[in-house]
Protein backbone atom coordinates (compact mmCIF):
# COMPACT_ATOMS: atom_id res chain seq x y z
CA UNK A 1 0.00 0.00 0.00
CA UNK A 2 1.36 3.38 -0.97
CA UNK A 3 0.47 5.48 2.06
CA UNK A 4 1.23 9.17 1.99
CA UNK A 5 2.84 10.86 4.97
CA UNK A 6 0.64 13.91 4.64
CA UNK A 7 -2.06 14.94 2.24
CA UNK A 8 -0.36 16.14 -0.93
CA UNK A 9 -3.03 18.77 -1.37
CA UNK A 10 -2.56 19.99 2.23
CA UNK A 11 -6.32 20.12 2.73
CA UNK A 12 -8.10 16.90 1.89
CA UNK A 13 -11.80 17.25 2.53
CA UNK A 14 -12.80 13.75 1.56
CA UNK A 15 -10.99 10.46 1.24
CA UNK A 16 -9.93 9.72 -2.34
CA UNK A 17 -11.01 13.18 -3.53
CA UNK A 18 -7.74 14.95 -4.12
CA UNK A 19 -5.02 12.34 -4.21
CA UNK A 20 -6.96 9.17 -4.94
CA UNK A 21 -5.89 5.79 -3.69
CA UNK A 22 -2.97 7.19 -1.74
CA UNK A 23 -5.39 8.41 0.91
CA UNK A 24 -6.63 4.87 1.44
CA UNK A 25 -3.99 4.11 4.02
CA UNK A 26 -5.39 6.74 6.35
CA UNK A 27 -8.94 6.00 5.40
CA UNK A 28 -8.75 2.32 6.26
CA UNK A 29 -6.73 2.88 9.39
CA UNK A 30 -9.22 5.44 10.73
CA UNK A 31 -12.58 4.45 9.23
CA UNK A 32 -15.04 3.42 11.98
CA UNK A 33 -12.36 4.03 14.60
CA UNK A 34 -13.48 5.59 17.85
CA UNK A 35 -11.11 8.33 18.90
CA UNK A 36 -11.26 10.07 22.24
CA UNK A 37 -9.51 13.39 21.70
CA UNK A 38 -8.36 15.10 24.89
CA UNK A 39 -7.64 18.81 24.56
CA UNK A 40 -5.71 20.53 27.32
CA UNK A 41 -4.80 24.18 27.86
CA UNK A 42 -2.36 25.72 25.41
CA UNK A 43 -2.33 27.90 22.33
CA UNK A 44 -2.03 24.73 20.18
CA UNK A 45 -5.61 23.85 21.23
CA UNK A 46 -6.82 25.59 18.07
CA UNK A 47 -4.94 22.99 15.99
CA UNK A 48 -6.93 20.23 17.72
CA UNK A 49 -9.95 21.60 15.88
CA UNK A 50 -8.23 20.91 12.56
CA UNK A 51 -7.22 17.47 13.80
CA UNK A 52 -10.86 16.73 14.68
CA UNK A 53 -11.88 17.71 11.16
CA UNK A 54 -9.24 15.46 9.58
CA UNK A 55 -10.19 12.49 11.76
CA UNK A 56 -13.89 12.85 10.98
CA UNK A 57 -13.12 13.13 7.27
CA UNK A 58 -11.23 9.85 7.46
CA UNK A 59 -14.29 8.11 8.87
CA UNK A 60 -13.43 8.19 12.57
CA UNK A 61 -15.96 8.87 15.33
CA UNK A 62 -14.47 11.56 17.52
CA UNK A 63 -15.52 12.48 21.04
CA UNK A 64 -13.75 15.45 22.54
CA UNK A 65 -12.94 15.95 26.21
CA UNK A 66 -11.59 19.38 27.17
CA UNK A 67 -9.83 20.44 30.32
CA UNK A 68 -10.86 23.74 31.89
CA UNK A 69 -7.59 25.24 30.61
CA UNK A 70 -8.41 24.25 27.05
CA UNK A 71 -11.67 26.19 27.20
CA UNK A 72 -9.68 29.39 27.74
CA UNK A 73 -8.32 28.96 24.20
CA UNK A 74 -11.13 27.31 22.17
CA UNK A 75 -14.83 26.93 22.90
CA UNK A 76 -16.48 23.51 23.23
CA UNK A 77 -18.89 24.64 20.50
CA UNK A 78 -16.06 24.50 17.93
CA UNK A 79 -15.37 20.84 18.68
CA UNK A 80 -19.05 19.99 18.94
CA UNK A 81 -19.64 21.41 15.46
CA UNK A 82 -16.66 19.55 13.99
CA UNK A 83 -17.20 16.20 15.70
CA UNK A 84 -21.00 16.20 15.69
CA UNK A 85 -20.84 15.05 19.31
CA UNK A 86 -21.38 16.81 22.62
CA UNK A 87 -18.10 17.88 24.19
CA UNK A 88 -17.41 16.87 27.77
CA UNK A 89 -15.27 18.46 30.41
CA UNK A 90 -16.75 17.68 33.82
CA UNK A 91 -16.24 14.41 35.65
CA UNK A 92 -19.42 14.79 37.65
CA UNK A 93 -21.97 15.78 35.07
CA UNK A 94 -25.48 14.39 35.64
CA UNK A 95 -26.63 14.73 32.02
CA UNK A 96 -23.64 12.96 30.50
CA UNK A 97 -23.26 10.36 33.21
CA UNK A 98 -26.88 9.33 32.54
CA UNK A 99 -26.05 8.79 28.85
CA UNK A 100 -22.49 7.58 28.30
CA UNK A 101 -20.85 7.55 31.74
CA UNK A 102 -17.13 8.18 32.03
CA UNK A 103 -16.32 4.48 32.33
CA UNK A 104 -18.38 3.71 29.21
CA UNK A 105 -16.58 6.53 27.42
CA UNK A 106 -13.22 5.09 28.48
CA UNK A 107 -14.28 1.65 27.18
CA UNK A 108 -15.79 3.09 23.99
CA UNK A 109 -12.48 4.44 22.69
CA UNK A 110 -10.22 2.55 20.27
CA UNK A 111 -7.54 5.10 21.11
CA UNK A 112 -7.10 8.16 23.30
CA UNK A 113 -5.04 11.07 21.99
CA UNK A 114 -4.34 14.15 24.08
CA UNK A 115 -3.44 16.99 21.74
CA UNK A 116 -2.18 19.36 22.91
CA UNK A 117 -0.84 17.75 26.08
CA UNK A 118 0.34 20.50 28.42
CA UNK A 119 3.16 20.09 30.94
CA UNK A 120 0.46 20.05 33.63
CA UNK A 121 -1.48 17.17 32.01
CA UNK A 122 1.72 15.17 31.49
CA UNK A 123 2.58 15.64 35.16
CA UNK A 124 -0.88 14.59 36.31
CA UNK A 125 -0.84 11.52 34.04
CA UNK A 126 2.63 10.56 35.26
CA UNK A 127 1.39 10.92 38.84
CA UNK A 128 -1.56 8.61 38.13
CA UNK A 129 -3.98 11.38 39.08
CA UNK A 130 -7.71 11.21 38.36
CA UNK A 131 -8.64 14.74 39.33
CA UNK A 132 -10.62 15.65 36.22
CA UNK A 133 -12.52 13.84 33.46
CA UNK A 134 -9.57 13.57 31.06
CA UNK A 135 -7.07 12.08 33.52
CA UNK A 136 -9.75 9.76 34.90
CA UNK A 137 -10.50 8.47 31.39
CA UNK A 138 -6.81 7.82 30.78
CA UNK A 139 -6.64 5.64 33.89
CA UNK A 140 -9.88 3.84 33.06
CA UNK A 141 -9.37 3.07 29.38
CA UNK A 142 -8.08 -0.24 28.04
CA UNK A 143 -7.25 1.54 24.74
CA UNK A 144 -3.81 2.83 23.81
CA UNK A 145 -3.14 6.36 25.07
CA UNK A 146 -1.06 8.85 23.09
CA UNK A 147 0.01 12.36 24.00
CA UNK A 148 1.15 15.21 21.74
CA UNK A 149 3.12 17.52 24.02
CA UNK A 150 2.92 21.25 23.39
CA UNK A 151 4.63 23.81 25.60
CA UNK A 152 7.34 26.40 25.84
CA UNK A 153 10.79 24.96 25.04
CA UNK A 154 12.12 25.67 28.56
CA UNK A 155 9.15 23.87 30.12
CA UNK A 156 9.73 20.91 27.77
CA UNK A 157 13.44 20.77 28.65
CA UNK A 158 12.73 21.00 32.39
CA UNK A 159 13.95 17.81 34.11
CA UNK A 160 10.55 17.42 35.77
CA UNK A 161 8.77 17.31 32.39
CA UNK A 162 11.43 15.02 30.94
CA UNK A 163 11.08 12.64 33.89
CA UNK A 164 7.29 12.63 33.53
CA UNK A 165 7.50 11.86 29.82
CA UNK A 166 10.06 9.09 30.41
CA UNK A 167 7.78 7.53 33.02
CA UNK A 168 4.76 7.73 30.72
CA UNK A 169 6.74 6.11 27.89
CA UNK A 170 7.88 3.34 30.23
CA UNK A 171 4.24 2.64 31.11
CA UNK A 172 3.27 2.35 27.45
CA UNK A 173 1.95 5.83 26.68
CA UNK A 174 2.77 6.84 23.10
CA UNK A 175 4.44 10.21 22.76
CA UNK A 176 3.94 11.97 19.42
CA UNK A 177 6.48 14.78 19.05
CA UNK A 178 7.02 17.51 19.99
CA UNK A 179 8.44 19.33 16.99
CA UNK A 180 11.15 21.95 17.16
CA UNK A 181 10.69 25.45 15.80
CA UNK A 182 9.36 28.88 16.47
CA UNK A 183 6.95 29.05 19.37
CA UNK A 184 3.95 31.27 20.07
CA UNK A 185 5.91 33.00 22.86
CA UNK A 186 8.71 33.88 20.44
CA UNK A 187 11.18 31.23 21.68
CA UNK A 188 12.74 28.78 19.28
CA UNK A 189 13.24 25.17 20.34
CA UNK A 190 11.47 21.88 21.06
CA UNK A 191 7.89 21.96 22.33
CA UNK A 192 5.72 22.74 19.31
CA UNK A 193 2.80 20.36 18.91
CA UNK A 194 3.06 18.20 15.78
CA UNK A 195 0.89 19.49 12.95
CA UNK A 196 -2.54 17.79 12.56
CA UNK A 197 -1.58 15.74 9.43
CA UNK A 198 1.47 14.36 11.28
CA UNK A 199 -0.71 13.47 14.28
CA UNK A 200 -3.20 11.77 11.95
CA UNK A 201 -0.37 9.72 10.49
CA UNK A 202 0.99 8.77 13.92
CA UNK A 203 -2.47 7.73 15.11
CA UNK A 204 -3.09 5.74 11.93
CA UNK A 205 0.13 3.78 12.46
CA UNK A 206 -0.78 3.16 16.08
CA UNK A 207 -4.18 1.77 15.11
CA UNK A 208 -3.12 -0.20 12.05
CA UNK A 209 -2.95 -3.73 13.38
CA UNK A 210 -0.10 -5.42 11.56
CA UNK A 211 -1.29 -8.84 12.75
CA UNK A 212 -1.43 -10.28 9.20
CA UNK A 213 1.29 -8.17 7.59
CA UNK A 214 2.85 -10.03 4.67
CA UNK A 215 0.18 -12.75 4.64
CA UNK A 216 -2.08 -13.69 1.77
CA UNK A 217 -5.71 -14.25 2.66
CA UNK A 218 -8.46 -15.72 0.50
CA UNK A 219 -12.08 -15.11 1.55
CA UNK A 220 -15.31 -16.44 0.08
CA UNK A 221 -18.48 -14.47 0.81
CA UNK A 222 -22.17 -14.28 0.06
CA UNK A 223 -24.52 -16.84 -1.41
CA UNK A 224 -24.27 -18.73 -4.66
CA UNK A 225 -27.07 -18.98 -7.21
CA UNK A 226 -27.77 -22.26 -8.92
CA UNK A 227 -29.86 -21.65 -12.06
CA UNK A 228 -32.93 -23.77 -12.70
CA UNK A 229 -33.77 -22.01 -15.93
CA UNK A 230 -32.94 -18.59 -17.46
CA UNK A 231 -34.99 -16.73 -14.82
CA UNK A 232 -34.98 -18.88 -11.67
CA UNK A 233 -32.35 -20.09 -9.27
CA UNK A 234 -31.78 -21.84 -5.94
CA UNK A 235 -30.03 -19.67 -3.38
CA UNK A 236 -30.06 -18.58 0.27
CA UNK A 237 -30.36 -15.46 2.42
CA UNK A 238 -26.65 -14.62 2.73
CA UNK A 239 -26.00 -10.91 2.13
CA UNK A 240 -22.21 -11.15 2.07
CA UNK A 241 -21.92 -8.66 4.97
CA UNK A 242 -19.97 -11.04 7.21
CA UNK A 243 -17.53 -12.08 4.50
CA UNK A 244 -16.96 -8.53 3.27
CA UNK A 245 -16.29 -7.39 6.84
CA UNK A 246 -13.81 -10.26 7.29
CA UNK A 247 -12.05 -9.40 4.02
CA UNK A 248 -11.77 -5.74 4.99
CA UNK A 249 -10.56 -6.56 8.50
CA UNK A 250 -7.87 -8.85 7.05
CA UNK A 251 -6.75 -6.08 4.68
CA UNK A 252 -6.65 -3.60 7.53
CA UNK A 253 -4.51 -6.09 9.43
CA UNK A 254 -1.95 -5.86 6.63
CA UNK A 255 -2.89 -8.90 4.54
CA UNK A 256 -3.05 -9.10 0.77
CA UNK A 257 -6.67 -10.18 0.33
CA UNK A 258 -8.61 -11.78 -2.51
CA UNK A 259 -12.37 -11.89 -2.03
CA UNK A 260 -14.47 -14.30 -4.06
CA UNK A 261 -17.95 -12.83 -3.83
CA UNK A 262 -21.22 -14.43 -4.73
CA UNK A 263 -24.06 -12.22 -6.02
CA UNK A 264 -24.47 -9.51 -3.36
CA UNK A 265 -25.42 -5.85 -3.39
CA UNK A 266 -22.37 -4.57 -1.50
CA UNK A 267 -19.72 -2.05 -2.56
CA UNK A 268 -16.12 -3.20 -2.84
CA UNK A 269 -14.37 -3.30 0.51
CA UNK A 270 -11.23 -1.23 -0.04
CA UNK A 271 -7.75 -2.65 -0.54
CA UNK A 272 -9.18 -6.02 -1.51
CA UNK A 273 -9.10 -7.81 -4.86
CA UNK A 274 -12.73 -8.73 -5.55
CA UNK A 275 -13.77 -11.48 -7.94
CA UNK A 276 -17.49 -11.79 -8.62
CA UNK A 277 -19.01 -15.20 -9.22
CA UNK A 278 -22.53 -16.57 -9.43
CA UNK A 279 -22.58 -20.32 -8.96
CA UNK A 280 -20.85 -22.70 -6.57
CA UNK A 281 -18.92 -24.15 -9.52
CA UNK A 282 -17.65 -20.66 -10.41
CA UNK A 283 -16.74 -19.99 -6.78
CA UNK A 284 -14.89 -23.31 -6.68
CA UNK A 285 -12.89 -22.47 -9.83
CA UNK A 286 -12.12 -18.91 -8.68
CA UNK A 287 -11.00 -20.10 -5.23
CA UNK A 288 -8.59 -22.63 -6.74
CA UNK A 289 -7.28 -20.01 -9.18
CA UNK A 290 -6.48 -17.65 -6.29
CA UNK A 291 -4.97 -20.24 -3.97
CA UNK A 292 -1.29 -19.74 -4.86
CA UNK A 293 0.77 -18.86 -1.79
CA UNK A 294 -2.35 -18.28 0.30
CA UNK A 295 -1.63 -18.42 4.04
CA UNK A 296 -5.21 -18.25 5.30
CA UNK A 297 -8.47 -19.35 3.67
CA UNK A 298 -11.65 -18.03 5.32
CA UNK A 299 -14.84 -19.55 3.96
CA UNK A 300 -17.72 -17.31 5.01
CA UNK A 301 -19.76 -18.02 1.88
CA UNK A 302 -23.04 -19.84 2.15
CA UNK A 303 -22.37 -22.11 -0.80
CA UNK A 304 -25.32 -24.05 -2.19
CA UNK A 305 -24.69 -27.66 -1.37
CA UNK A 306 -26.69 -28.75 -4.42
CA UNK A 307 -27.39 -27.48 -7.92
CA UNK A 308 -30.06 -28.55 -10.39
CA UNK A 309 -28.79 -31.60 -12.28
CA UNK A 310 -29.74 -29.79 -15.46
CA UNK A 311 -30.45 -26.14 -16.20
CA UNK A 312 -33.40 -25.74 -18.53
CA UNK A 313 -32.63 -23.60 -21.56
CA UNK A 314 -36.19 -22.27 -21.63
CA UNK A 315 -38.35 -20.95 -18.78
CA UNK A 316 -40.02 -23.85 -16.96
CA UNK A 317 -43.80 -23.74 -17.51
CA UNK A 318 -46.32 -24.31 -14.73
CA UNK A 319 -48.32 -26.88 -16.65
CA UNK A 320 -47.82 -29.68 -14.13
CA UNK A 321 -49.43 -29.97 -10.67
CA UNK A 322 -46.11 -30.94 -9.10
CA UNK A 323 -42.57 -30.47 -10.22
CA UNK A 324 -39.70 -32.82 -9.37
CA UNK A 325 -36.25 -31.31 -9.22
CA UNK A 326 -33.20 -33.47 -9.50
CA UNK A 327 -30.19 -32.02 -7.67
CA UNK A 328 -26.49 -32.78 -7.86
CA UNK A 329 -23.97 -32.20 -5.05
CA UNK A 330 -21.70 -29.19 -5.51
CA UNK A 331 -17.99 -29.49 -4.77
CA UNK A 332 -17.17 -28.63 -1.15
CA UNK A 333 -14.65 -25.85 -1.71
CA UNK A 334 -13.49 -25.64 1.89
CA UNK A 335 -13.15 -29.39 2.43
CA UNK A 336 -11.19 -29.75 -0.80
CA UNK A 337 -8.76 -26.93 0.02
CA UNK A 338 -8.31 -28.07 3.62
CA UNK A 339 -7.44 -31.62 2.51
CA UNK A 340 -4.50 -30.53 0.34
CA UNK A 341 -0.99 -31.36 1.51
CA UNK A 342 -0.08 -27.68 1.20
CA UNK A 343 -3.35 -26.49 2.75
CA UNK A 344 -3.39 -22.94 4.11
CA UNK A 345 -4.74 -22.20 7.59
CA UNK A 346 -8.41 -23.00 6.96
CA UNK A 347 -11.28 -21.27 8.74
CA UNK A 348 -14.81 -22.48 8.10
CA UNK A 349 -18.12 -21.01 9.17
CA UNK A 350 -21.03 -23.04 10.45
CA UNK A 351 -24.52 -21.57 10.20
CA UNK A 352 -26.85 -23.64 12.35
CA UNK A 353 -30.42 -23.31 13.54
CA UNK A 354 -29.84 -25.90 16.30
CA UNK A 355 -27.14 -28.04 17.98
CA UNK A 356 -24.67 -25.30 17.11
CA UNK A 357 -21.66 -26.66 18.96
CA UNK A 358 -22.18 -30.29 17.93
CA UNK A 359 -22.52 -29.51 14.22
CA UNK A 360 -19.70 -26.96 14.27
CA UNK A 361 -17.31 -29.42 15.92
CA UNK A 362 -18.30 -32.07 13.37
CA UNK A 363 -17.35 -29.64 10.56
CA UNK A 364 -14.06 -28.83 12.27
CA UNK A 365 -13.23 -32.53 12.42
CA UNK A 366 -14.70 -33.82 9.16
CA UNK A 367 -13.36 -31.01 6.97
CA UNK A 368 -10.00 -31.06 8.82
CA UNK A 369 -10.18 -27.35 9.58
CA UNK A 370 -7.90 -25.25 11.75
CA UNK A 371 -10.85 -23.29 13.04
CA UNK A 372 -14.61 -23.05 12.68
CA UNK A 373 -16.75 -20.00 13.48
CA UNK A 374 -20.24 -21.06 14.47
CA UNK A 375 -23.16 -18.68 14.24
CA UNK A 376 -26.76 -19.33 15.21
CA UNK A 377 -29.07 -18.52 12.31
CA UNK A 378 -32.82 -18.18 11.83
CA UNK A 379 -35.21 -15.74 13.55
CA UNK A 380 -33.33 -12.82 12.01
CA UNK A 381 -29.93 -13.94 13.29
CA UNK A 382 -26.76 -14.33 11.24
CA UNK A 383 -28.02 -14.08 7.68
CA UNK A 384 -28.49 -10.56 6.31
CA UNK A 385 -28.39 -8.74 9.64
CA UNK A 386 -25.78 -6.09 10.49
CA UNK A 387 -24.86 -7.84 13.73
CA UNK A 388 -23.72 -11.33 14.52
CA UNK A 389 -22.34 -13.46 17.32
CA UNK A 390 -19.90 -16.32 17.05
CA UNK A 391 -18.45 -19.21 18.98
CA UNK A 392 -15.12 -20.07 17.44
CA UNK A 393 -13.71 -23.56 17.90
CA UNK A 394 -10.25 -24.89 17.14
CA UNK A 395 -8.83 -28.30 18.07
CA UNK A 396 -7.52 -27.17 21.47
CA UNK A 397 -9.96 -24.49 22.47
CA UNK A 398 -12.81 -22.13 21.84
CA UNK A 399 -13.70 -18.43 22.21
CA UNK A 400 -17.07 -16.75 22.31
CA UNK A 401 -17.72 -13.36 20.69
CA UNK A 402 -20.94 -11.70 21.88
CA UNK A 403 -23.47 -9.99 19.62
CA UNK A 404 -21.90 -6.96 17.93
CA UNK A 405 -21.62 -5.38 14.50
CA UNK A 406 -20.17 -7.63 11.81
CA UNK A 407 -17.44 -5.01 11.32
CA UNK A 408 -16.12 -5.20 14.87
CA UNK A 409 -16.73 -8.95 15.04
CA UNK A 410 -14.61 -9.41 11.91
CA UNK A 411 -11.76 -7.43 13.46
CA UNK A 412 -11.81 -9.62 16.58
CA UNK A 413 -11.98 -12.77 14.49
CA UNK A 414 -9.01 -11.66 12.40
CA UNK A 415 -7.00 -11.01 15.57
CA UNK A 416 -7.81 -14.51 16.79
CA UNK A 417 -6.92 -16.06 13.42
CA UNK A 418 -3.58 -14.20 13.46
CA UNK A 419 -2.92 -15.48 16.98
CA UNK A 420 -3.70 -19.12 16.09
CA UNK A 421 -1.79 -18.89 12.80
CA UNK A 422 1.30 -17.68 14.65
CA UNK A 423 0.96 -20.55 17.14
CA UNK A 424 0.64 -23.07 14.29
CA UNK A 425 3.69 -21.61 12.52
CA UNK A 426 5.70 -21.87 15.76
CA UNK A 427 4.69 -25.51 16.19
CA UNK A 428 5.68 -26.48 12.62
O1 LIG B 1 -23.67 -13.19 4.41
P1 LIG B 1 -24.33 -12.73 5.68
O2 LIG B 1 -25.75 -12.31 5.45
O3 LIG B 1 -23.54 -11.68 6.40
O4 LIG B 1 -24.43 -13.99 6.64
C1 LIG B 1 -23.28 -14.58 7.14
C2 LIG B 1 -23.39 -16.09 7.18
C3 LIG B 1 -24.45 -16.49 8.18
C4 LIG B 1 -23.72 -16.64 5.80
C5 LIG B 1 -21.96 -16.59 7.62
O5 LIG B 1 -21.65 -16.11 8.88
C6 LIG B 1 -21.91 -18.11 7.63
O6 LIG B 1 -22.25 -18.75 8.61
N1 LIG B 1 -21.44 -18.71 6.51
C7 LIG B 1 -21.41 -20.17 6.29
C8 LIG B 1 -22.79 -20.60 5.98
C9 LIG B 1 -22.98 -22.07 5.68
O7 LIG B 1 -23.82 -22.32 4.92
O8 LIG B 1 -22.17 -22.92 6.23
P2 LIG B 1 -22.25 -24.52 5.91
O9 LIG B 1 -22.52 -25.15 7.20
O10 LIG B 1 -23.15 -24.87 4.79
O11 LIG B 1 -20.80 -24.80 5.39
C10 LIG B 1 -19.70 -24.98 6.26
C11 LIG B 1 -18.48 -24.35 5.66
O12 LIG B 1 -18.12 -24.99 4.42
C12 LIG B 1 -18.62 -22.89 5.34
O13 LIG B 1 -17.40 -22.29 5.69
C13 LIG B 1 -18.85 -22.85 3.84
O14 LIG B 1 -18.35 -21.65 3.25
C14 LIG B 1 -18.06 -24.04 3.37
N2 LIG B 1 -18.61 -24.71 2.17
C15 LIG B 1 -19.83 -25.30 2.23
C16 LIG B 1 -20.32 -25.94 1.12
C17 LIG B 1 -19.55 -25.94 -0.06
N3 LIG B 1 -20.00 -26.54 -1.17
N4 LIG B 1 -18.38 -25.33 -0.10
C18 LIG B 1 -17.88 -24.71 0.99
O15 LIG B 1 -16.79 -24.13 0.94
Amino acid sequence: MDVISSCVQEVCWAPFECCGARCEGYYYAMNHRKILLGVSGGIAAYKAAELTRLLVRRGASVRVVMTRGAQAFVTPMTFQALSGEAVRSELFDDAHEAAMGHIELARWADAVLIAPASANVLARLAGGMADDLLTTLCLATPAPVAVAPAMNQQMWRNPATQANVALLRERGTHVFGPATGEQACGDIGPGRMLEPPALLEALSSLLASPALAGKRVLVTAGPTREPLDPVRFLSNRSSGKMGFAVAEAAARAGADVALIAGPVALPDPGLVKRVNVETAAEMHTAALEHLDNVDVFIATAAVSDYRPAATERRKIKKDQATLQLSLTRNPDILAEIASRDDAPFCVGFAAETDRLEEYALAKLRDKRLDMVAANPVGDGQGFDSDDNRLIVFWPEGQREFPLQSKTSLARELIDLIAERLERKDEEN
Side-chain angles (χ1 to χ4, degrees):
M1 189 199 332
D2 183 16
V3 181
I4 53 172
S5 59
S6 64
C7 176
V8 291
Q9 302 290 328
E10 291 289 305
V11 178
C12 183
W13 279 93
F16 318 125
E17 210 167 73
C18 66
C19 42
R22 301 209 304 155
C23 281
E24 288 188 356
Y26 286 164
Y27 185 68
Y28 286 102
M30 299 311 311
N31 195 19
H32 299 307
R33 295 301 190 149
K34 294 175 257 177
I35 309 300
L36 191 61
L37 179 62
V39 184
S40 66
I43 184 62
Y46 80 92
K47 292 187 185 172
E50 172 65 359
L51 178 61
T52 306
R53 188 183 69 80
L54 290 177
L55 288 166
V56 169
R57 287 289 169 187
R58 281 0 180 253
S61 299
V62 182
R63 287 175 192 255
V64 177
V65 171
M66 300 179 79
T67 63
R68 291 221 179 114
Q71 293 172 53
F73 293 89
V74 191
T75 66
M77 191 59 75
T78 304
F79 290 104
Q80 183 171 318
L82 290 167
S83 67
E85 297 283 348
V87 172
R88 296 190 54 179
S89 54
E90 299 303 321
L91 182 53
F92 302 110
D93 173 334
D94 286 350
H96 284 119
E97 286 300 304
M100 186 181 261
H102 64 276
I103 297 295
E104 273 72 29
L105 190 55
R107 288 190 187 133
W108 168 87
D110 288 329
V112 177
L113 169 61
I114 305 181
S118 64
N120 178 42
V121 158
L122 295 177
R124 287 189 291 130
L125 289 177
M129 311 265 290
D131 57 348
D132 67 359
L133 179 61
L134 184 56
T135 48
T136 304
L137 290 169
C138 289
L139 281 186
T141 188
V145 176
V147 292
M151 66 199 73
N152 163 269
Q153 53 89 21
Q154 202 60 53
M155 291 171 78
W156 172 252
R157 288 194 170 108
N158 190 294
T161 305
Q162 289 302 307
N164 289 334
V165 171
L167 186 57
L168 289 172
R169 276 206 170 99
E170 199 182 301
R171 291 185 189 146
T173 301
H174 303 267
V175 181
F176 298 161
T180 298
E182 195 177 332
Q183 304 201 299
C185 57
D187 281 7
I188 294 178
R192 277 173 64 97
M193 189 175 86
L194 291 184
E195 293 301 319
L199 289 175
L200 179 69
E201 183 183 4
L203 199 56
S204 300
S205 319
L206 180 66
L207 285 169
S209 153
L212 288 178
K215 302 288 182 196
R216 270 176 180 267
V217 174
L218 178 64
V219 180
T220 61
T224 63
R225 281 181 186 169
E226 311 301 323
L228 282 160
D229 68 14
V231 295
R232 301 184 181 93
F233 51 79
L234 300 177
S235 191
N236 58 63
R237 295 179 187 277
S238 171
S239 63
K241 288 176 189 168
M242 190 72 238
F244 275 52
V246 165
E248 184 167 342
R252 279 184 186 219
D256 181 2
V257 182
L259 169 66
I260 316 289
V264 294
L266 294 176
D268 286 357
L271 305 176
V272 161
K273 179 184 178 193
R274 175 175 176 176
V275 179
N276 291 326
V277 297
E278 183 109 352
T279 63
E282 287 169 10
M283 188 173 273
H284 179 233
T285 305
L288 296 184
E289 277 173 8
H290 288 82
L291 201 57
D292 276 355
N293 300 318
V294 161
D295 301 285
V296 181
F297 175 44
I298 310 173
T300 58
V303 186
S304 298
D305 291 318
Y306 294 90
R307 66 177 181 276
T311 303
E312 298 298 329
R313 287 182 47 239
R314 295 206 174 83
K315 186 179 169 193
I316 300 169
K317 291 292 169 198
K318 54 175 183 294
D319 47 11
Q320 302 166 50
T322 59
L323 181 67
Q324 298 279 344
L325 289 179
S326 173
L327 302 176
T328 305
R329 272 290 286 268
N330 273 325
D332 190 317
I333 306 164
L334 177 61
E336 184 178 321
I337 291 176
S339 68
R340 292 165 65 119
D341 288 342
D342 59 348
F345 186 93
C346 283
V347 182
F349 269 67
E352 309 294 347
T353 52
D354 57 310
R355 293 157 77 179
L356 184 67
E357 178 166 348
E358 181 188 333
Y359 289 142
L361 287 173
K363 279 172 190 164
L364 181 73
R365 189 184 56 239
D366 298 347
K367 298 195 188 200
R368 298 170 58 193
L369 306 179
D370 294 289
M371 193 180 265
V372 68
N375 40 199
V377 294
D379 299 330
Q381 303 182 95
F383 282 91
D384 201 21
S385 72
D386 290 334
D387 304 324
N388 201 8
R389 65 189 177 92
L390 293 174
I391 309 179
V392 181
F393 300 94
W394 59 95
E396 308 82 23
Q398 68 180 70
R399 194 176 297 172
E400 200 160 338
F401 297 96
L403 187 69
Q404 57 194 291
S405 73
K406 285 180 177 170
T407 310
S408 74
L409 188 59
R411 270 196 224 137
E412 294 196 9
L413 179 64
I414 287 296
D415 284 347
L416 176 60
I417 290 171
E419 192 184 306
R420 299 305 313 164
L421 176 67
E422 195 181 338
R423 182 70 60 85
K424 191 178 174 187
D425 287 348
E426 281 166 10
E427 286 165 6
N428 290 336

